[in-house]
Amino acid sequence: MAEIQIKNIAKNFGSYQALHDINLTIADQEFMVLLGASGCGKSTLLRIIAGLETATTGEVWIGGRRVDHLSPKDRGISMVFQNYAVFPHLTVFENIGFGLRMQKLPDDEVTRRVERTAGLMHIDQLLKRYSGELSGGQRQRVAVARALAMEPDVILMDEPLSNLDALLRLEMRAELKGVLADSKTTAIYVTHDQVEAMSLADRISVMHQGRIVQAATPIEVYRNPAAEFVAGFIGNPPMNFLPATPSGDGKWQVAGQVLDGPTSRSAPLQFAVRPEDIRPADSGLTATAKVVEPLGAHLLVTCEVEGTMFRAVLDSDLTVHVGDQLTLAPQPDRIRWFDPETTLAVA
Amino acid sequence: MTDAVADLPADTGASRKAGQFLYGASVVLLCAWVIVPLYFLLLNTLSSPEEVNSFPKSFLPHFDLGSLTFFANFQGILRALWNSVLVAAMTMVMSIVIGAPAGYALSRFEFRGKEAFRLLILLTRAFPLPLLALPLAVLFIRTGLDDTAFGLALVHTTLAIPFAVLITFSLFSGIPIELEEAAWTLGCTRFTAFTKVVLPLILPGITASAIFAFVISWNEVFAAAVLTIENRTLPAFLLQTLGEAPLHLKFAGGFILVVPALIFIFAVRKYLFAMWGIANR
C-alpha cells in the first residue's frame, strides 16, 4: 500500500518560484502522469518526491509515512531517468542487481530477481553486456528493470521515453503500461508528450507555471478542460476559441450566431470547441477555408471565422478548396465556455 | 566536360597524398623532437669520456659503462634516488587526497565565490618559488620541517594541487550527476554512491592526475635545493654535485634523472590516454 500525498509543496530557486503550493494525492497502484511544457515544474516536483531535491515548504507522505526529511534510499522509491543512467562500469546483470546488492540480499535471491525482471523487459540475453554495447532502447529496458527489481512502493519516471526514436517509443509505451500494471506499483510519470500521457495515465496532472491546473482522468482532461491552458495544450490540433457576447437569457452571440450557453454569467466569455466536434451544416458559423490538409483518416481544414483562426477536422470524403465558404455547426453538447478574466471553465 | 570529370578524382587523390605526406612528416618531426635528444643522452652516457668530447660521433654506443658505474658507486646517489621517490610518492598521495575532494566540490556544488576559488587555485602558481623560498626556509627551520622528505613533499604538493584540482574537476564533471542520483535511489548514501559508482569511473583519470603530481615533484629542483641539505632529492643532489663535473658525468647524471620518469610514464601510459577518453563516455 503506497498512497502518495503531497501537501502544500512550494519550491524556490533563489527569487524564482518553481512550484506554488502543490497539493496532490495519488492513490495506491495509480498511474499518475505529470504533464506540462518544459519549465512548468513537473520534473522538480518529481525530484522532490524522490528526495533528490528539497522542497522550500510542504510535506511529502508515502504510504502513510512522512518522507520529506528522509534521503532517497529510505523512501521506498525507485527512479528511471531520461538519460537512462545505466552504470557504465557494470554489466547489465550487476546494474539490475545493484540495489539488491546494496540491500545485502543473498546471491540466489539477487539472481532470481534479476532474471525475473530481465525476463519481463526482454533483456535476458543481454545480462553479460556492458552499457556501451547496448542500444538506447536496450539501455532504457535495463533502467526500467533495475527500478522494478527493487520491488519499490513507488516508481518514478522522468521522461523515460523521450530519448528514443518514435517507433521504439510507441513499442516501449505499450510495454511499460503492461509491466507496470502487473507490478501493482504506484507510478508517477513525467512527460511533455500529451499522447504518452493520454495513453498511459490513470490520471493526468496538467502543470503550468509551477501549478497543477487540472488533475483528472485522461478523458475528463480532454472533454472538460478546467482552464483555457489545458484546452489549448491537450488535443492535436488544440481547441478552437472564439469571443462570445451575452445576448440575455443564456443566449450567447458567437461570430454572428446565437448559441445556448451558461445562464449565470453576464460578462463576455470565451466559446471553445474541439476541431473534431464540428460538422458542416445548413446553419452555423461562417468560415473561409485557408489551408486544407488531407490526412488520410480526416480532412484538417484551417479556416478563418471573423478574423480568428479556427480548425475543423472533417470527414475525408468531403471536398474543400482553399477560399471556400463553409458553414460549420459545433456539436452542442461538446461546447465549453471559459471566463476570459480567470481563464477557468464556466459551467 | 569529360576532361573535368576525369580530372576530379586525380585531383583529390593528389591532395590526399599531399595531406598524408604532411601528416607523416609532422609525426616524424614531433617524434624526432622528443627522441633525438634522448638518444644523444643515451649515446653519451654509454660512451667513454674521450668519445663524449670527440667529434664526429658514432651512431652506435660502445656500451662503455664507466660513467654509470661511477655514479652507481658515487656517495649518496642511491639515498638521493630513494628521497626523490619518497617525496614524489608523498606528493602524489597528498595532492590527490586534498585535490580530488576540491575537484568534486567544484563540479557538484554551487557555492558563493566558486569562480573566484577556481581562479585563486591557479594563482598559487603565480608566485615564483624563489620569492617564497626564503620565508619558507625560515618557517621550516622553526617548525623542524627543514631537511625532511615530508617538508619538501608539502611544498611539492602545493605546486601539484592546482593541477590535481582542475583535472579532477573536469573528470567529475564528465560523470553525469544522474549516475549518482540513480545510485542514491537504489540504496546508496552519498558516500557509497561515490565509492561504488563515481570512483570506479574516474580511477583512470585520478591515476593520470597522480602521475602529473609525481612528475612535478620529480622534476622540481629549486625548493629541493633550498629546503634540504642531507636529504636531497636526485635533481637537487645532481645540481649540487655536477655543477663542476666533467661533461660525460653530466650526461650520465641527466640519464639517471630521465630514465625513472620515462619508465614510470611508460608503465602508466594507458591511464594517461584514458583521462582524455573519459570525457566522451
Side-chain angles (χ1 to χ4, degrees):
Chain A
M1 284 298 286
E3 183 191 68
I4 302 169
Q5 283 177 298
I6 294 153
K7 298 180 181 172
N8 307 102
I9 288 282
K11 174 72 183 176
N12 297 341
F13 291 109
S15 59
Y16 171 72
Q17 187 155 13
L19 292 175
H20 303 260
D21 193 35
I22 302 280
N23 284 287
L24 187 64
T25 302
I26 299 157
D28 181 41
Q29 298 184 27
E30 188 175 23
F31 197 125
M32 170 64 87
V33 172
L34 303 179
L35 175 67
S38 60
C40 71
K42 58 192 192 299
S43 282
T44 306
L45 181 59
L46 190 78
R47 291 171 59 83
I48 287 172
I49 298 168
L52 299 173
E53 203 89 65
T54 43
T56 310
T57 57
E59 298 172 8
V60 179
W61 293 68
I62 296 177
R65 195 165 61 112
R66 187 172 170 188
V67 298
D68 46 82
H69 55 282
L70 299 178
S71 54
K73 70 184 177 69
D74 301 319
R75 295 188 178 201
I77 54 130
S78 60
M79 187 153 167
V80 180
F81 294 83
Q82 182 176 356
N83 64 0
Y84 324 130
V86 173
F87 304 130
H89 62 298
L90 299 177
T91 60
V92 168
F93 183 98
E94 285 305 323
N95 260 285
I96 300 175
F98 187 89
L100 310 174
R101 296 242 191 261
M102 291 306 298
Q103 292 175 359
K104 304 229 176 345
L105 293 182
D107 270 356
D108 53 337
E109 172 72 3
V110 172
T111 310
R112 193 185 66 76
R113 281 220 232 167
V114 169
E115 279 171 357
R116 193 181 66 83
T117 43
L120 278 179
M121 296 310 295
H122 307 295
I123 45 172
D124 10 16
Q125 71 286 7
L126 305 175
L127 287 176
K128 290 199 179 74
R129 301 234 195 131
Y130 287 89
S131 87
E133 305 164 312
L134 302 177
S135 68
Q138 290 169 331
R139 275 180 226 184
Q140 194 51 282
R141 285 168 188 276
V142 174
V144 174
R146 184 174 65 184
L148 286 173
M150 297 287 287
E151 296 177 5
D153 298 330
V154 180
I155 186 162
L156 306 172
M157 286 169 279
D158 190 359
E159 310 229 13
L161 304 184
S162 60
N163 281 7
L164 302 179
D165 64 59
L167 211 63
L168 205 55
R169 203 180 309 164
L170 213 67
E171 185 189 315
M172 277 294 283
R173 196 171 77 197
E175 232 177 285
L176 256 185
K177 187 166 184 172
V179 168
L180 282 169
D182 289 342
S183 74
K184 305 198 185 307
T185 318
T186 311
I188 306 181
Y189 186 106
V190 163
T191 183
H192 62 267
D193 181 337
Q194 50 164 309
V195 182
E196 226 168 87
M198 299 287 283
S199 67
L200 286 172
D202 292 327
R203 263 198 309 156
I204 298 177
S205 292
V206 184
M207 293 187 65
H208 181 51
Q209 293 179 348
R211 289 187 172 85
I212 292 179
V213 187
Q214 186 173 14
T217 60
I219 203 69
E220 175 75 8
V221 167
Y222 185 77
R223 284 276 172 252
N224 298 313
E228 247 183 84
F229 171 77
V230 180
F233 188 72
I234 302 269
N236 187 19
M239 262 185 153
N240 293 303
F241 295 99
L242 289 172
T245 46
S247 55
D249 231 15
K251 298 285 177 197
W252 295 81
Q253 183 130 10
V254 180
Q257 277 298 115
V258 176
L259 299 167
D260 285 330
T263 49
S264 54
R265 297 297 183 112
S266 55
L269 290 179
Q270 286 278 359
F271 155 92
V273 67
R274 292 216 171 266
E276 50 271 41
D277 297 330
I278 297 164
R279 300 279 171 274
D282 295 335
S283 73
L285 308 165
T286 312
T288 317
K290 292 288 178 189
V291 182
V292 180
E293 297 167 75
L295 300 179
H298 334 273
L299 188 68
L300 174 59
V301 185
T302 307
C303 343
E304 216 176 78
V305 175
E306 292 205 332
T308 308
M309 189 166 66
F310 195 89
R311 289 198 188 88
V313 172
L314 303 179
D315 196 297
S316 53
D317 286 343
L318 284 172
T319 318
V320 179
H321 298 287
V322 173
D324 283 1
Q325 289 278 333
L326 305 171
T327 311
L328 301 173
Q331 243 173 281
D333 59 327
R334 295 282 168 85
I335 296 172
R336 299 292 174 265
W337 304 88
F338 294 96
D339 184 333
E341 296 289 312
T342 61
T343 79
L344 296 180
V346 175
Chain B
M1 190 62 201
T2 41
D3 277 0
V5 172
D7 275 354
L8 208 60
D11 242 19
T12 51
S15 68
R16 189 183 305 141
K17 246 184 207 148
Q20 273 174 354
F21 176 76
L22 201 69
Y23 178 75
S26 318
V27 169
V28 170
L29 202 70
L30 277 172
C31 288
W33 179 268
V34 176
I35 290 172
V36 168
L38 285 177
Y39 179 70
F40 276 118
L41 190 63
L42 178 78
L43 194 66
N44 284 319
T45 305
L46 296 177
S47 301
S48 62
E50 298 74 43
E51 283 171 327
V52 169
N53 292 311
S54 70
F55 194 84
K57 308 219 168 276
S58 69
F59 273 90
L60 286 173
H62 291 107
F63 296 101
D64 181 316
L65 298 176
S67 311
L68 284 177
T69 346
F70 173 80
F71 259 103
N73 299 323
F74 195 59
Q75 183 74 36
I77 188 101
L78 286 177
R79 174 110 187 259
L81 186 66
W82 166 244
N83 278 335
S84 263
V85 172
L86 192 67
V87 171
M90 280 199 273
T91 304
M92 197 165 88
V93 172
M94 285 197 288
S95 61
I96 291 305
V97 167
I98 301 170
Y104 184 81
L106 276 178
S107 93
R108 287 291 189 253
F109 300 111
E110 286 303 320
F111 52 88
R112 276 166 64 112
K114 182 168 157 175
E115 289 307 305
F117 181 65
R118 276 180 66 181
L119 200 66
L120 272 174
I121 286 174
L122 274 183
L123 274 181
T124 56
R125 296 298 312 245
F127 296 100
L129 207 49
L131 196 74
L132 299 173
L134 194 63
L136 263 180
V138 172
L139 188 74
F140 272 32
I141 289 169
R142 277 197 196 144
T143 49
L145 280 173
D146 61 307
D147 206 13
T148 61
F150 178 68
L152 188 57
L154 278 182
V155 177
H156 288 176
T157 303
T158 324
L159 298 178
I161 271 185
F163 294 101
V165 173
L166 294 181
I167 291 174
T168 53
F169 163 68
S170 74
L171 289 173
F172 287 125
S173 303
I175 308 277
I177 181 81
E178 284 86 355
L179 286 184
E180 271 183 88
E181 289 178 340
W184 298 341
T185 61
L186 291 168
C188 285
T189 60
R190 207 157 189 135
F191 180 74
T192 52
F194 183 83
T195 56
K196 288 201 179 295
V197 174
V198 180
L199 201 59
L201 290 175
I202 61 154
L203 209 55
I206 290 271
T207 314
S209 143
I211 295 163
F212 270 120
F214 188 94
V215 170
I216 284 172
S217 166
W218 186 270
N219 288 338
E220 202 284 324
V221 63
F222 191 87
V226 172
L227 295 174
T228 57
I229 300 161
E230 296 288 315
N231 290 312
R232 296 233 136 156
T233 58
L234 196 58
F237 180 79
L238 291 176
L239 182 76
Q240 180 192 24
T241 48
L242 290 182
E244 303 299 324
L247 198 55
H248 66 278
L249 288 184
K250 284 186 178 164
F251 275 117
F255 183 74
I256 291 171
L257 201 54
V258 165
V259 164
L262 274 183
I263 292 173
F264 188 65
I265 290 193
F266 190 74
V268 295
R269 69 195 181 284
K270 76 168 191 190
Y271 295 111
L272 274 174
F273 297 141
M275 184 174 71
W276 311 125
I278 198 166
N280 303 330
R281 196 162 354 202

